[in-house]
Amino acid sequence: MRKRNRMADAALGPVVGLGIALLFLVWADPGFRHPPDSQIGKQHADNTRDGDDQPIQSPGFWKTYTTPTDTYAQWVAAFSALFSVAVSIWAVRLVRNTLVLNRDATIAAQDAVAVAKAANTDSVKAASAAYALAAKQFEAGFKPWLSVKVGGPYIDELKYPLKMFEEGEGPRWTRIQTTVELKNIGEMPAIITGFYIGVENYTDIEINGWGHSKGWHELGRGETIFLNENFGKMAIDPSLVAIDPALAEAHCGGFMLTAENRNMFFRDFPPIVGRIDYEDPLGKKRQMGFAFRPGAAWTSNLMRWGANAKNYDKEVD
């Protein structure tokens, strides 16, 4: 039973109890039970005093409670009391029903508020998601899309021979190199601000590379350049490379090849790793990483290496 129902029943109990108590009082009091008895006793006493020994006969139940005039008022009072008790019970029931209805209305209102709050929360989340998606689409529309292609040979054997060492032959200076061709395949220009190219060395061979180079070049839609440090210029025009291909040769690292480390080098060619710093038209800084590895020292066919850890295009602070 709910709390409000218990309260209504508790209010109903005293009313019923009070009605029963009043009825018991009417029944228990002789004045109420036998209203003519007092008159009969008085007549009997008078007759005895006057020498009349004829007893006064008490009327029957029906005559006692219906014949005397003053009993009518008592009957009316009794029925009025019963009617009052019935009306009180009915009123309490109405109050109880009203409390139940109020309780149900309150619960319904609370449920409606909860539903409205949940709907409002969902609406806010949906609006936030839509805003985030719109922002990403806007940024994607202004983001330059770059494509990088590397070429070989990994080591130019005409300049840096890798043949077996003859007895008594000293170390040979050897250079790892590549070409880095960068093309803007998107709709928006990119501002190239930095470039790094080197190797990921897992061997015990000491390989020396160049540091990070900085510059500024606006790469327009469909434009292609070669990235290098030749003559202190980071971006090399393809037309110049067509005249002199050596201009596109990017130095990745150099080391001394010896008879002792030659086999180590051939077992595990150090991968070429690079990074390009650029900005989009909105001024946001981005970074593009790439990594390739040769199948052989003399090949020009380089394969992607390092998965997403080395090959990425992301926004940076």
Side-chain angles (χ1 to χ4, degrees), residues 18-33:
L18 179 60
I20 295 174
L22 290 175
L23 292 176
F24 180 78
L25 178 62
V26 170
W27 177 84
D29 192 326
F32 287 103
R33 291 176 56 193

Side-chain angles (χ1 to χ4, degrees), residues 88-112:
S88 299
I89 294 174
W90 176 72
V92 171
R93 296 295 299 181
L94 286 181
V95 171
R96 175 185 176 182
N97 293 338
T98 302
L99 293 176
V100 172
L101 291 175
N102 289 339
R103 180 204 63 202
D104 295 341
T106 301
I107 294 175
Q110 292 174 345
D111 293 342

